[in-house]
Amino acid sequence: MPLPILLLAWFPPSLIPAAARVPRYKVTQAVPAAKRVALPEVRGDDDRPLVVIDAGHGGVDPGAVGPDGLREKELTLRIAREIRDGLLAGGRVRVALTRDDDRFLVLRERYGVARRLKANLFISVHCDAAAASTATGASAYTLSEVASDKEAARLAARENKGDVIAGMNLGQARGDVSSILIDLAQRETMNLSASFARLLGREATPLMPVKANFHRMASLMVLKAPDMPSVLFETGYISNPVDAAFLASDDGRDRVARSVRRAVEAYFARRMAAR
Ligand code: ZN
């Protein structure tokens, strides 16, 4: 029998040096959030207001998955591009996308990119999901500490999970608090966000399936910028075959883009008039 084992067996545990008892190895894991993301391209004429469109999810985060395997991250990117093209065709605003490919961004990076670009409006594009395949229609969310209803609370819980990949919370790598505290300075921004959400409901209603209570409120992390009006647009249910087919069709995406373009143009026309 080899000598070291004899020694360990003979000495009482308190006499064995600590270093010999503790396994010495370290697990390291690369965290993508550590790098500051590059700013995306801004398109459009210089002096126009800037709208940042955020295609929800991406990369390792597929978002919700439809019954036929359609992934939210793919739909949101296609819809975001259509919205961008529609807005640029209108010529009234400049547009940037937080992502124009299949990449992962933590929620803070999404509104962070828009703030660094000094965006005047931020629209995060998503597709809803529910256990009941009959759930249908688009809705728009603005920031509130208190959810407007149970479904809004469930949606916030799901969408805020975008930062948690394989059990690691990438969004809070630098010690952010998890709760969303709303400053009084945010009130003006919240009012502007709500006014855009109402305009979006008005413009979307004749063009696409929308919920009866279109504008809702929830504590959504991606809407947290204190100084930039922000809306999360749930364009329809990926879990509903009819909604999913609508959003996957050219005509459906064109209708979503037209709704957003009309609402954006009305919103900035009002803002100019108010000055
Ligand atoms: Zn989503």
Side-chain angles (χ1 to χ4, degrees):
M1 197 175 274
L3 186 64
I5 288 177
L6 262 180
L7 286 171
L8 290 177
W10 187 79
F11 286 112
S14 59
L15 293 180
I16 301 171
R21 281 182 273 134
V22 179
R24 277 181 294 173
Y25 57 85
K26 204 159 112 186
V27 176
T28 55
Q29 174 74 51
V31 176
K35 212 170 64 191
R36 189 170 156 110
V37 292
L39 288 177
E41 177 196 8
V42 176
R43 295 205 203 163
D45 289 331
D46 262 356
D47 54 345
R48 313 286 153 98
L50 173 62
V51 182
V52 170
I53 310 294
D54 171 48
H57 310 280
V60 290
D61 170 21
V65 180
D68 54 356
L70 186 64
R71 292 180 292 182
E72 184 182 359
K73 68 171 184 175
E74 285 154 14
L75 263 188
T76 59
L77 182 56
R78 285 158 74 189
I79 296 167
R81 285 173 176 157
E82 191 84 22
I83 292 173
R84 172 193 64 195
D85 295 347
L87 288 174
L88 289 173
R92 307 269 180 89
V93 292
R94 291 176 298 141
V95 188
L97 300 183
T98 54
R99 69 175 179 98
D100 196 10
D101 53 21
D102 182 23
R103 73 175 65 196
F104 175 75
L105 292 168
V106 297
L107 297 171
R108 191 186 54 221
E109 285 170 337
R110 295 173 184 273
Y111 67 79
V113 157
R115 285 188 78 201
R116 281 160 62 202
L117 289 171
K118 299 191 173 15
N120 303 92
L121 183 63
F122 176 76
I123 305 169
S124 189
V125 175
H126 288 258
C127 309
D128 220 329
S133 64
T134 48
T136 179
S139 49
Y141 285 79
T142 57
L143 185 65
S144 160
E145 277 182 89
V146 182
S148 54
D149 53 76
K150 275 185 187 159
E151 200 190 336
R154 273 197 295 274
L155 178 122
R158 193 173 68 242
E159 296 293 8
N160 287 342
K161 270 189 198 143
D163 283 354
V164 183
I165 299 298
M168 283 199 310
N169 193 337
L170 305 178
Q172 288 170 37
R174 285 174 225 153
D176 296 19
V177 287
S178 60
S179 68
I180 298 176
L181 300 172
I182 297 167
D183 199 89
L184 274 179
Q186 254 169 299
R187 297 291 163 199
E188 163 77 356
T189 306
M190 289 165 76
N191 290 340
L192 290 172
S193 305
S195 90
F196 177 72
R198 285 193 296 272
L199 281 171
L200 185 56
R202 187 186 81 182
E203 299 302 332
T205 300
L207 289 172
M208 56 187 285
V210 298
K211 286 190 175 184
N213 49 349
F214 178 81
H215 175 211
R216 289 147 175 242
M217 284 172 273
S219 55
L220 286 151
M221 189 65 78
V222 78
L223 304 179
K224 215 185 143 200
D227 48 2
M228 179 176 67
S230 306
V231 167
L232 187 142
F233 187 19
E234 292 281 358
T235 49
Y237 281 81
I238 198 169
S239 50
N240 178 323
V242 178
D243 278 21
F246 174 81
L247 294 172
S249 71
D250 290 345
D251 178 56
R253 281 196 306 280
D254 175 63
R255 286 165 176 270
V256 174
R258 267 191 285 157
S259 307
V260 174
R261 175 178 161 181
R262 289 178 186 180
V264 164
E265 291 180 356
Y267 172 81
F268 286 113
R270 274 190 193 176
R271 296 285 291 146
M272 303 291 181
R275 273 181 198 164

